[in-house]
Amino acid sequence: MEAMTDKELVLLARAASENAHVPYSGFPVGAALECADGRIFTGCNVENRAYGGTICAERTAMVKAISEGCRDFARIAVYGDGKEYCYPCGACRQFMAEFNDGSMTVLCSRGTEDIKSFVLRELLPGIFGF
Ligand code: THU
């Protein structure tokens, strides 16, 4: 099967954002995570009236992957319904680093045409380890 393009992964992230539960922020986010075996897991942000219970789109997608036995992350696309590029928050970057050495690709999009590509270690330099 042909490898998925960055834009195709962003389009899956956008589709996932349509399921977001965002009554508090009104800011839907979607993520599409591709694992090394080609499997793709999507996620959206799910907010909670006790705000700290909110989970971001990226962590939703990662937790879905982990719970299905996929922990070799290759690429994640993040789509936010705003004017700026949607970058993963600090907690999500750290969560990625739990399962990845920093080499996975992180796609941050502004709309679906404008995509910035990073590797995780650029977004999280000096990854903590012990
Ligand atoms: N959010 C994400 O889902 N991912 C990010 O990378 C940044 C923030 C969510 C959390 C919250 O539901 C809303 O966006 C506003 O912060």
Side-chain angles (χ1 to χ4, degrees):
M1 204 183 84
E2 281 286 300
M4 179 165 287
T5 65
D6 288 351
K7 183 173 173 187
E8 285 168 334
L9 204 62
V10 168
L11 287 172
L12 289 180
R14 183 178 68 174
S17 75
E18 286 169 16
N19 293 324
H21 173 69
V22 289
Y24 308 107
S25 74
F27 187 68
V29 181
L33 171 66
E34 178 187 60
C35 294
D37 63 2
R39 290 178 70 187
I40 290 170
F41 297 87
T42 60
C44 61
N45 49 339
V46 182
E47 299 184 344
N48 192 273
R49 63 185 64 159
Y51 298 161
T54 292
I55 181 167
C56 292
E58 299 91 318
R59 272 177 288 151
T60 302
M62 287 187 278
V63 166
K64 284 171 69 178
I66 298 293
S67 66
E68 296 298 322
C70 288
R71 51 176 67 193
D72 193 353
F73 300 162
R75 192 165 45 147
I76 190 167
V78 188
Y79 175 89
D81 194 24
K83 289 199 182 72
E84 297 304 324
Y85 288 96
C86 192
Y87 289 94
C89 78
C92 287
R93 296 177 197 201
Q94 182 63 35
F95 202 99
M96 290 172 202
E98 180 69 16
F99 300 99
N100 187 267
D101 64 2
S103 60
M104 70 181 288
T105 298
V106 181
L107 303 174
C108 305
S109 64
R110 184 168 63 179
T112 55
E113 296 298 330
D114 211 350
I115 302 167
K116 278 190 191 175
S117 179
F118 300 92
V119 289
L120 176 59
R121 76 174 75 82
E122 293 178 277
L123 297 180
L124 190 67
I127 291 174
F128 169 71
F130 62 86

